[in-house]
Amino acid sequence: MSANMVALAYLVASVFFILALKGLSSPESARRGNLFGMVGMAIAVATTLTLTENWVLILGCIAVGGVIGAIVAKRVQMTAMPELVAFMHSLVGLAAVFIAVSAVNNPVSFGLPEILPMGSKLELFLGTFIGAMTWSGSVIAFLKLSGRMSGTPVVFSGQHMLNLLLAIIMIGLGLWFFFSETTNWTAFIAMTAIAFLLGFLIIIPIGGADMPVVISMLNSYSGWAAAGIGFSIGNPMLIIAGSLVGSSGAILSYIMCKAMNRPFLSVILGGFGSDGGAASSDDGTQKTYRSGSADDAAFMLGNSDSVIIVPGYGLAVARAQHAIKELAEMLHEKGVNVRFAIHPVAGRMPGHMNVLLAEAEIPYEQVLEMDEINSDFSDTDVVLVLGANDVVNPAAYVKGSPIYGMPILDAQKARTVMVVKRSMAVGYAGLDNELFYMDKTMMIFGDAKKVVENMLKAL
């Protein structure tokens, strides 16, 4: 293909990527958005293949990666989707590092001069350290989300100063690499190693409650890493795709931070200026709560005029989305106004609950975001909380609380609250929830799917 044809094909692929992002902005058009993204990527890959003669090796690698990806995608549970996303981000960052190493080792094969110009060195430096930090940071996020590592913040004295010192050393090594007349492998390797270490150190002090923000943040990092490498090797497709991912991830991170009342800059920098996460507020005193059965809950639901269902991670673990759809349909047949309230950070990644409810084909018009439904709780007969904790915790209104100021779903304002949980254990943020001990609250213990199925039988 001529250079003009390649540029045109990349432009068409970029348009498909933009249409994909547009489609993914709504559950109703998400399937179409995914299709646009797949078409765009197919065009981009096919165009890139025309620029090389080593078809066998590249297609072989694509086949191996495709088989692994297909097997993992078919086997992964919806509850494991957040850690899978984090793991995929790590691979994007690592790919950027490998490309940078290849470009430094053999710049001619990328169409660059044998002696790298300063501009290319700067771009390779940016792409390498962002990619390295994305890889190591995403690995920590994967370990925390999968339970292989505690979600509790890992903090130690002088942590921020150490991060700052390492960042200064990394930049210094980058400048050494930048101003060297020949390829300075010592500076490049040392800079990359410190970037890997810095990625670990930036993510370990971030608590489990902030993990949804971390996922979108690392998504942004992976995009900027790809864009930086795209500039260095002169690939417009990498620049455009990386910029789309980077900017959309940054916007999502900002939205998530607002939803959690977290300083955006603090989270992006790995806890700088924050307390590193929430600690448990349990003071050890014995608290009383009221418990009931699925039959009790069914009776109250069936005699209500309005019900709001608040899904949480417990619903995802129990895979209860199909059962809750049946419950909502049965209540609707009885004349009950049933709606679902979604908090922006419910679950373990952005949109986690939306995906679960969409999988069960719950009508989109019944699924409302926090800002749309929060004012309706005070006029609601029953709120049914399924496995959610932190997003309905009234501690957000208590000064001095680790989550003070975080916008929550105002479930405590309803006439009756029913909470389905396996136990009285604290949520992902490590905080006890005063909602569970209110006189208007009834706790129903058990697996969310089994409890909802028992409610269905009782109805």
Side-chain angles (χ1 to χ4, degrees):
M1 295 177 69
S2 66
N4 288 338
M5 288 295 293
V6 170
L8 179 61
Y10 279 157
L11 179 62
V12 172
S14 301
V15 171
F16 274 105
F17 289 154
I18 293 170
L19 292 174
L21 284 178
K22 175 64 176 174
L24 292 172
S25 64
S26 168
E28 294 173 315
S29 57
R31 192 182 298 271
R32 184 171 67 250
N34 270 309
L35 181 60
F36 283 143
M38 292 163 63
V39 171
M41 186 57 70
I43 294 172
V45 171
T47 304
T48 303
L49 285 174
T50 65
L51 305 177
T52 180
E53 298 177 356
N54 204 345
W55 281 59
V56 177
L57 178 61
I58 294 176
L59 290 176
C61 290
I62 290 175
V64 172
V67 169
I68 294 173
I71 293 173
V72 171
K74 285 181 71 68
R75 291 183 176 179
V76 69
Q77 299 292 328
M78 280 303 301
T79 51
M81 195 60 67
E83 52 258 43
L84 177 66
V85 172
F87 186 72
M88 293 302 179
H89 291 164
S90 74
L91 297 181
V92 176
L94 194 60
V97 174
F98 284 155
I99 295 172
V101 171
S102 300
V104 173
N105 181 59
N106 188 4
V108 176
S109 64
F110 289 89
L112 301 170
E114 189 171 349
I115 303 300
L116 285 169
M118 285 190 172
S120 296
K121 286 183 177 180
L122 176 62
E123 292 153 359
L124 286 169
F125 163 68
L126 292 173
T128 302
F129 92 76
I130 296 174
M133 289 172 61
T134 300
W135 179 80
S136 52
S138 297
V139 168
I140 294 297
F142 166 77
L143 293 174
K144 287 196 173 192
L145 289 166
S146 63
R148 293 175 174 86
M149 180 178 178
S150 172
T152 304
V154 179
V155 295
F156 53 85
S157 179
Q159 189 170 28
H160 295 331
M161 289 304 299
L162 175 62
N163 289 349
L164 181 61
L165 178 62
L166 288 174
I168 292 173
I169 294 174
M170 183 184 69
I171 293 172
L173 290 167
L175 291 173
W176 186 19
F177 170 74
F178 179 71
F179 287 110
S180 298
E181 293 184 1
T182 58
T183 301
N184 190 333
W185 277 106
T186 301
F188 184 79
I189 293 173
M191 171 201 75
T192 305
I194 291 177
F196 279 125
L197 177 60
L198 201 54
F200 285 118
L201 293 174
I202 281 178
I203 302 301
I204 59 173
I206 300 179
D210 287 328
M211 271 302 125
V213 183
V214 171
I215 291 180
S216 60
M217 177 187 74
L218 292 170
N219 178 41
S220 179
Y221 284 178
S222 66
W224 296 126
I229 297 301
F231 276 110
S232 61
I233 65 176
N235 189 306
M237 189 70 264
L238 268 179
I239 296 170
I240 295 171
S243 298
L244 288 172
V245 173
S247 56
S248 60
I251 292 169
L252 179 58
S253 298
Y254 175 74
I255 293 171
M256 300 287 285
C257 284
K258 283 189 65 179
M260 300 178 71
N261 195 37
R262 293 285 192 269
F264 178 68
L265 189 60
S266 295
V267 176
I268 291 296
L269 294 178
F272 277 84
S274 72
D275 59 5
S280 175
S281 63
D282 188 1
D283 57 7
T285 58
Q286 191 69 27
K287 299 177 182 178
T288 58
Y289 56 85
R290 183 166 62 99
S291 63
S293 65
D295 290 352
D296 298 329
F299 176 80
M300 296 172 68
L301 289 169
N303 288 279
S304 301
D305 291 325
S306 58
V307 172
I308 294 178
I309 299 173
V310 178
Y313 186 66
L315 177 130
V317 172
R319 299 186 61 80
Q321 60 268 34
H322 296 285
I324 200 63
K325 180 198 177 184
E326 290 183 46
L327 179 67
E329 288 178 341
M330 187 172 292
L331 290 173
H332 183 72
E333 290 173 3
K334 291 179 175 289
V336 181
N337 179 24
V338 181
R339 291 172 296 169
F340 292 81
I342 305 296
H343 191 280
V345 295
R348 299 287 171 86
M349 71 175 184
H352 198 177
M353 295 301 105
N354 301 78
V355 171
L356 285 176
L357 299 182
E359 182 189 7
E361 298 184 351
I362 291 172
Y364 300 126
E365 59 270 15
Q366 293 181 14
V367 181
L368 303 175
E369 301 296 327
M370 178 178 64
D371 294 339
E372 298 175 297
I373 201 170
N374 239 3
S375 60
D376 295 347
F377 279 101
S378 56
D379 296 323
T380 300
D381 293 326
V382 176
V383 169
L384 177 60
V385 180
L386 290 163
N389 193 329
D390 303 319
V391 298
V392 292
N393 195 337
Y397 295 117
V398 179
K399 286 189 176 181
S401 166
I403 62 170
Y404 173 65
M406 171 182 166
I408 62 167
L409 291 164
D410 289 323
Q412 78 280 359
K413 292 183 179 180
R415 297 182 182 91
T416 301
V417 179
M418 297 188 297
V419 181
V420 179
K421 277 173 64 70
R422 292 178 182 270
S423 69
M424 292 298 291
V426 297
Y428 205 49
L431 288 173
D432 203 2
N433 193 334
E434 290 299 325
L435 174 67
F436 302 160
Y437 307 100
M438 291 182 176
D439 293 337
K440 65 171 65 178
T441 302
M442 182 175 71
M443 304 298 299
I444 307 164
F445 297 110
D447 176 85
K449 184 177 181 181
K450 292 180 180 178
V451 170
V452 173
E453 287 175 346
N454 288 335
M455 289 181 187
L456 280 166
K457 292 177 184 177
L459 279 172

